[in-house]
Amino acid sequence: MTAASWTPYLGTREGPIYLSIADALAEDIASGRLAEGVQLPTQRKLADDLGIDFTTVSRAYSEARSRGLIEGKVGQGTYVRSKRGARPSQQPSGVVDMSMNLPPRFLDPVLEQRMWDGAKELQQQGLDLLLRYQEPGGIMEDRIVGASWLSRRLPGISPDRVVVASGAQGALHAILSVLTEPGDIVCAEELTYPGFRSIASHLRLKLAPVAMDDHGLVPDAFAQVCREAKPKALYCMPTLHNPTTRTLPVHRRQDLVNVARTYGVPIIEDDAYSALVPAPPLPLAALLPEAVYHVASLSKCLSPALRVAYVAVPEGRTHRVANAIRASASIVSPLTSALASQWIETGVADVVRGEIVKETVKRLDAVKALLPFDVESSPGGFHVWLKVPEPWTRGELVSRLRSTGIGIVTSDAFAIASAPEAIRLALGAPVNLEELTRALRILADLLAQQPAFSTMVV
């Protein structure tokens, strides 16, 4: 069978046409009508043959790719995928792991194709992109794009103050390597990002917890730690804090940088989420640019696969951070940094971010509708913080949810000191809204019962 000869038989199928096309494709492959390696019609041709719009066929092909039925070959077309190379289905499996905080998937085949087209366009850069090392901290072209991206939050930021790092994790490792020595004390919110705890442990640093309240980090508590422990740095997440979702008010930001200035303590500002937040407050780096290292990862607002973070560094410190990157990772991947630049320059990045925000709104609405408990959330944030109601404990709850195929993270993963009775739910991890809804209903039903009523112990 050739590309020109396959047309799906839709018959009287119910539901969206794009799903009917994908189902027909699956049936023809299963029956042997379409053999492995057969080339399929172009999306435009199939749309013309069926008398439907191009977008519907694009959605159908995207759905078939997600099921592992077909694959695209650059410059050649779309083919029936070999069984040996088929990907696992991305359809709901009954197991919902809500422990990893991922941006939610959106369903826009045209945008998905634009993202992949960006990778194809990198071919124009030739072998220099593939067979040459680049300077640590990123080449000037990528730093210029990074400065453009950061300037929306940090007006006037110049490329000579921007470093390109291998994600937030690579950036934090490099910055801490510059600011600290083994045995030094570093402050952090009493509930903090587990990845930061991991780096601090690896570098043999001591963590000093800073108290939080309903508005986030307490500046007076930070001042007390500065007086008593003389820390070498403060790590914090002032906008859409992970895990609590709290955002530090403007007046507290000013109080915080005043304390840092008084005691000469540099700040590492993790700004992973503010690109998703409507009208976020001014970042700390805008209030104290001479002492704040501002880390803006693209993992949450664009794609975890990029492993790219733009770091705004205090003036005169760029080379030190770049050298720390050289010592630990040599260079940032030229391919992913070039793709990030391509997405940003062509506007794809803004469209992707917009789709992530739209999907996040739907998932937050589901939480509000299905979980009548003490849940903290924030616009733009695809994780929520649930305070476990009595008589449940976080340990009992995570164990019971695991038996139903649902994974969550308890407060222990984030706590530097004592852990509260709370859990974090990552709303972006489920494949789609339906899978999330099912998991939330199971959680709500469980919390409405007494722990002893639903015990599985015999």
Side-chain angles (χ1 to χ4, degrees):
M1 184 174 293
T2 64
S5 61
W6 182 75
T7 304
Y9 175 70
L10 303 183
T12 58
R13 298 175 191 269
E14 297 181 354
I17 295 177
Y18 81 94
L19 288 179
S20 296
I21 295 173
D23 290 342
L25 182 60
E27 291 171 5
D28 286 349
I29 292 173
S31 68
R33 183 175 177 227
L34 283 174
E36 295 180 17
V38 167
Q39 186 178 15
L40 294 172
T42 66
Q43 296 177 27
R44 179 65 64 192
K45 183 179 186 305
L46 188 57
D48 291 342
D49 289 346
L50 295 175
I52 59 178
D53 63 273
F54 174 79
T55 301
T56 299
V57 177
S58 292
R59 294 184 71 184
Y61 274 32
S62 178
E63 173 69 17
R65 278 195 301 272
S66 74
R67 299 185 193 181
L69 300 174
I70 62 176
E71 60 183 343
K73 298 181 181 179
V74 177
Q76 299 180 41
T78 303
Y79 294 79
V80 175
R81 194 180 183 94
S82 65
K83 294 179 181 178
R84 181 175 57 187
R87 291 183 296 172
S89 171
Q90 294 179 350
Q91 299 303 304
S93 63
V95 176
V96 186
D97 185 1
M98 300 174 70
S99 59
M100 184 67 73
N101 207 19
L102 304 169
R105 298 177 189 179
F106 50 83
L107 184 58
D108 187 336
V110 175
L111 177 56
E112 180 183 346
Q113 190 60 51
R114 287 183 66 190
M115 295 170 76
W116 283 113
D117 286 345
K120 297 175 189 175
E121 290 176 15
L122 296 183
Q123 289 178 298
Q124 299 174 11
Q125 299 189 33
L127 288 178
D128 278 350
L129 184 62
L130 299 176
L131 299 182
R132 293 292 181 269
Y133 288 103
Q134 294 184 353
E135 57 190 276
I139 60 174
M140 182 51 69
E141 288 85 348
D142 292 335
R143 291 165 63 190
I144 290 172
V145 174
S148 172
W149 181 262
L150 291 174
S151 67
R152 306 176 188 192
R153 301 275 290 115
L154 297 171
I157 184 73
S158 60
D160 60 0
R161 283 187 52 210
V162 174
V163 171
V164 186
S166 299
Q169 205 74 357
L172 296 176
H173 187 279
I175 295 167
L176 285 172
S177 298
V178 169
L179 297 179
T180 66
E181 299 286 345
D184 283 345
I185 295 175
V186 175
C187 294
E189 291 124 330
E190 58 187 350
L191 295 169
T192 193
Y193 169 50
F196 173 75
R197 293 181 62 196
S198 176
I199 296 172
S201 175
H202 176 70
L203 295 176
R204 300 193 295 280
L205 302 174
K206 300 174 182 177
L207 293 183
V210 179
M212 301 175 67
D213 61 16
D214 290 343
H215 300 289
L217 183 149
V218 179
D220 287 344
F222 173 47
Q224 182 178 350
V225 175
C226 289
R227 289 191 297 269
E228 296 175 355
K230 296 181 173 52
K232 291 299 180 69
L234 165 69
Y235 166 81
C236 61
M237 190 176 286
T239 301
L240 219 167
H241 175 261
N242 181 15
T244 66
T245 79
R246 299 164 194 168
T247 291
L248 206 61
V250 173
H251 69 277
R252 278 209 182 175
R253 293 173 184 243
Q254 191 61 64
D255 291 343
L256 181 61
V257 299
N258 287 341
V259 173
R261 185 183 289 113
T262 298
Y263 291 96
V265 178
I267 297 175
I268 305 170
E269 179 180 27
D270 192 338
D271 200 37
Y273 297 95
S274 69
L276 301 169
V277 176
L282 206 60
L284 303 180
L287 302 174
L288 192 65
E290 68 273 18
V292 175
Y293 294 77
H294 179 91
V295 180
S297 167
L298 301 182
S299 294
K300 307 305 183 185
C301 60
L302 290 183
S303 167
L306 287 176
R307 306 312 307 141
V308 169
Y310 298 126
V311 186
V313 177
E315 186 131 14
R317 308 288 283 184
T318 305
H319 291 297
R320 292 198 64 183
V321 175
N323 286 337
I325 292 174
R326 182 200 301 272
S328 61
S330 180
I331 61 171
V332 179
S333 167
L335 284 172
T336 56
S337 55
L339 182 57
S341 292
Q342 200 274 348
W343 283 358
I344 291 171
E345 289 184 304
T346 59
V348 169
D350 284 327
V351 182
V352 170
R353 181 176 56 178
E355 289 302 309
I356 291 173
V357 169
K358 288 179 186 176
E359 185 63 29
T360 296
V361 169
K362 298 176 187 176
R363 299 192 180 209
L364 286 173
D365 286 345
V367 170
K368 293 173 184 175
L370 297 172
L371 290 184
F373 303 100
D374 190 353
V375 179
E376 288 188 69
S377 64
S378 180
F382 39 76
H383 67 274
V384 299
W385 187 239
L386 186 150
K387 296 176 183 176
V388 178
E390 295 181 346
W392 283 94
T393 66
R394 62 189 186 278
E396 287 177 303
L397 183 58
V398 71
S399 176
R400 210 64 55 80
L401 285 172
R402 189 182 298 118
S403 71
T404 69
I406 297 174
I408 58 172
V409 178
T410 69
S411 57
D412 303 83
F414 308 93
I416 299 177
S418 59
E421 291 294 343
I423 61 172
R424 188 194 71 181
L425 303 176
L427 308 182
V431 170
N432 51 39
L433 184 60
E434 291 72 25
E435 186 175 80
L436 172 66
T437 298
R438 181 180 68 82
L440 293 176
R441 283 177 174 153
I442 291 173
L443 173 59
D445 183 64
L446 201 58
L447 289 175
Q449 305 173 26
Q450 294 291 313
F453 179 76
S454 59
T455 183
M456 299 293 291
V457 178
V458 295

